[in-house]
PDB file of all heavy atoms in Angstrom:
ATOM      1  N   GLN M  98      34.741 100.712 -71.559  1.00 74.00           N
ATOM      2  CA  GLN M  98      34.255 101.747 -72.470  1.00 74.00           C
ATOM      3  C   GLN M  98      35.446 102.473 -73.084  1.00 74.00           C
ATOM      4  O   GLN M  98      36.300 102.935 -72.346  1.00 74.00           O
ATOM      5  CB  GLN M  98      33.361 102.715 -71.750  1.00 74.00           C
ATOM      6  CG  GLN M  98      32.741 103.768 -72.665  1.00 74.00           C
ATOM      7  CD  GLN M  98      31.863 104.730 -71.884  1.00 74.00           C
ATOM      8  OE1 GLN M  98      31.815 104.666 -70.659  1.00 74.00           O
ATOM      9  NE2 GLN M  98      31.172 105.615 -72.579  1.00 74.00           N
ATOM     10  N   VAL M  99      35.493 102.479 -74.382  1.00 72.00           N
ATOM     11  CA  VAL M  99      36.580 103.154 -75.091  1.00 72.00           C
ATOM     12  C   VAL M  99      36.107 104.549 -75.487  1.00 72.00           C
ATOM     13  O   VAL M  99      35.062 104.686 -76.159  1.00 72.00           O
ATOM     14  CB  VAL M  99      37.029 102.341 -76.328  1.00 72.00           C
ATOM     15  CG1 VAL M  99      38.115 103.102 -77.094  1.00 72.00           C
ATOM     16  CG2 VAL M  99      37.486 100.962 -75.928  1.00 72.00           C
ATOM     17  N   ILE M 100      36.838 105.564 -75.058  1.00 74.00           N
ATOM     18  CA  ILE M 100      36.489 106.938 -75.370  1.00 74.00           C
ATOM     19  C   ILE M 100      37.578 107.512 -76.298  1.00 74.00           C
ATOM     20  O   ILE M 100      38.759 107.428 -76.027  1.00 74.00           O
ATOM     21  CB  ILE M 100      36.419 107.791 -74.097  1.00 74.00           C
ATOM     22  CG1 ILE M 100      35.335 107.219 -73.141  1.00 74.00           C
ATOM     23  CG2 ILE M 100      36.138 109.227 -74.426  1.00 74.00           C
ATOM     24  CD1 ILE M 100      35.274 107.946 -71.811  1.00 74.00           C
ATOM     25  N   THR M 101      37.103 108.007 -77.410  1.00 79.00           N
ATOM     26  CA  THR M 101      38.025 108.654 -78.379  1.00 79.00           C
ATOM     27  C   THR M 101      37.810 110.167 -78.312  1.00 79.00           C
ATOM     28  O   THR M 101      36.691 110.662 -78.441  1.00 79.00           O
ATOM     29  CB  THR M 101      37.739 108.155 -79.812  1.00 79.00           C
ATOM     30  OG1 THR M 101      37.911 106.742 -79.873  1.00 79.00           O
ATOM     31  CG2 THR M 101      38.706 108.785 -80.805  1.00 79.00           C
ATOM     32  N   LYS M 102      38.932 110.856 -78.077  1.00 77.00           N
ATOM     33  CA  LYS M 102      38.832 112.340 -77.928  1.00 77.00           C
ATOM     34  C   LYS M 102      39.844 112.975 -78.895  1.00 77.00           C
ATOM     35  O   LYS M 102      40.983 112.530 -78.995  1.00 77.00           O
ATOM     36  CB  LYS M 102      39.137 112.745 -76.483  1.00 77.00           C
ATOM     37  CG  LYS M 102      38.965 114.245 -76.261  1.00 77.00           C
ATOM     38  CD  LYS M 102      39.176 114.571 -74.788  1.00 77.00           C
ATOM     39  CE  LYS M 102      38.966 116.030 -74.519  1.00 77.00           C
ATOM     40  NZ  LYS M 102      39.189 116.411 -73.088  1.00 77.00           N
ATOM     41  N   SER M 103      39.375 113.972 -79.585  1.00 78.00           N
ATOM     42  CA  SER M 103      40.226 114.674 -80.519  1.00 78.00           C
ATOM     43  C   SER M 103      40.571 116.050 -79.940  1.00 78.00           C
ATOM     44  O   SER M 103      39.666 116.788 -79.522  1.00 78.00           O
ATOM     45  CB  SER M 103      39.521 114.805 -81.883  1.00 78.00           C
ATOM     46  OG  SER M 103      40.364 115.549 -82.772  1.00 78.00           O
ATOM     47  N   VAL M 104      41.841 116.381 -79.926  1.00 77.00           N
ATOM     48  CA  VAL M 104      42.312 117.698 -79.446  1.00 77.00           C
ATOM     49  C   VAL M 104      43.030 118.399 -80.572  1.00 77.00           C
ATOM     50  O   VAL M 104      43.987 117.830 -81.169  1.00 77.00           O
ATOM     51  CB  VAL M 104      43.238 117.538 -78.207  1.00 77.00           C
ATOM     52  CG1 VAL M 104      43.747 118.885 -77.762  1.00 77.00           C
ATOM     53  CG2 VAL M 104      42.510 116.823 -77.096  1.00 77.00           C
ATOM     54  N   SER M 105      42.591 119.580 -80.909  1.00 77.00           N
ATOM     55  CA  SER M 105      43.221 120.346 -81.999  1.00 77.00           C
ATOM     56  C   SER M 105      43.961 121.530 -81.441  1.00 77.00           C
ATOM     57  O   SER M 105      43.364 122.378 -80.739  1.00 77.00           O
ATOM     58  CB  SER M 105      42.171 120.801 -83.011  1.00 77.00           C
ATOM     59  OG  SER M 105      42.749 121.555 -84.046  1.00 77.00           O
ATOM     60  N   LEU M 106      45.276 121.574 -81.669  1.00 76.00           N
ATOM     61  CA  LEU M 106      46.093 122.709 -81.239  1.00 76.00           C
ATOM     62  C   LEU M 106      46.663 123.392 -82.467  1.00 76.00           C
ATOM     63  O   LEU M 106      47.360 122.750 -83.274  1.00 76.00           O
ATOM     64  CB  LEU M 106      47.234 122.225 -80.335  1.00 76.00           C
ATOM     65  CG  LEU M 106      46.822 121.490 -79.051  1.00 76.00           C
ATOM     66  CD1 LEU M 106      48.019 120.964 -78.313  1.00 76.00           C
ATOM     67  CD2 LEU M 106      46.030 122.422 -78.164  1.00 76.00           C
ATOM     68  N   GLY M 107      46.369 124.666 -82.623  1.00 68.00           N
ATOM     69  CA  GLY M 107      46.793 125.371 -83.803  1.00 68.00           C
ATOM     70  C   GLY M 107      48.297 125.494 -83.921  1.00 68.00           C
ATOM     71  O   GLY M 107      49.004 125.649 -82.901  1.00 68.00           O
ATOM     72  N   SER M 108      48.808 125.399 -85.173  1.00 62.00           N
ATOM     73  CA  SER M 108      50.252 125.493 -85.330  1.00 62.00           C
ATOM     74  C   SER M 108      50.802 126.820 -84.843  1.00 62.00           C
ATOM     75  O   SER M 108      51.926 126.885 -84.336  1.00 62.00           O
ATOM     76  CB  SER M 108      50.571 125.305 -86.846  1.00 62.00           C
ATOM     77  OG  SER M 108      51.935 125.545 -87.096  1.00 62.00           O
ATOM     78  N   GLY M 109      49.985 127.891 -84.992  1.00 65.00           N
ATOM     79  CA  GLY M 109      50.465 129.209 -84.573  1.00 65.00           C
ATOM     80  C   GLY M 109      50.739 129.269 -83.069  1.00 65.00           C
ATOM     81  O   GLY M 109      51.550 130.046 -82.636  1.00 65.00           O
ATOM     82  N   ALA M 110      50.047 128.454 -82.279  1.00 70.00           N
ATOM     83  CA  ALA M 110      50.244 128.456 -80.819  1.00 70.00           C
ATOM     84  C   ALA M 110      51.372 127.523 -80.407  1.00 70.00           C
ATOM     85  O   ALA M 110      51.914 127.653 -79.311  1.00 70.00           O
ATOM     86  CB  ALA M 110      48.952 128.021 -80.126  1.00 70.00           C
TER      87      ALA M 110
END
Side-chain angles (χ1 to χ4, degrees):
Q98 184 180 7
V99 178
I100 299 175
T101 301
K102 185 176 182 180
S103 178
V104 178
S105 179
L106 301 175
S108 174

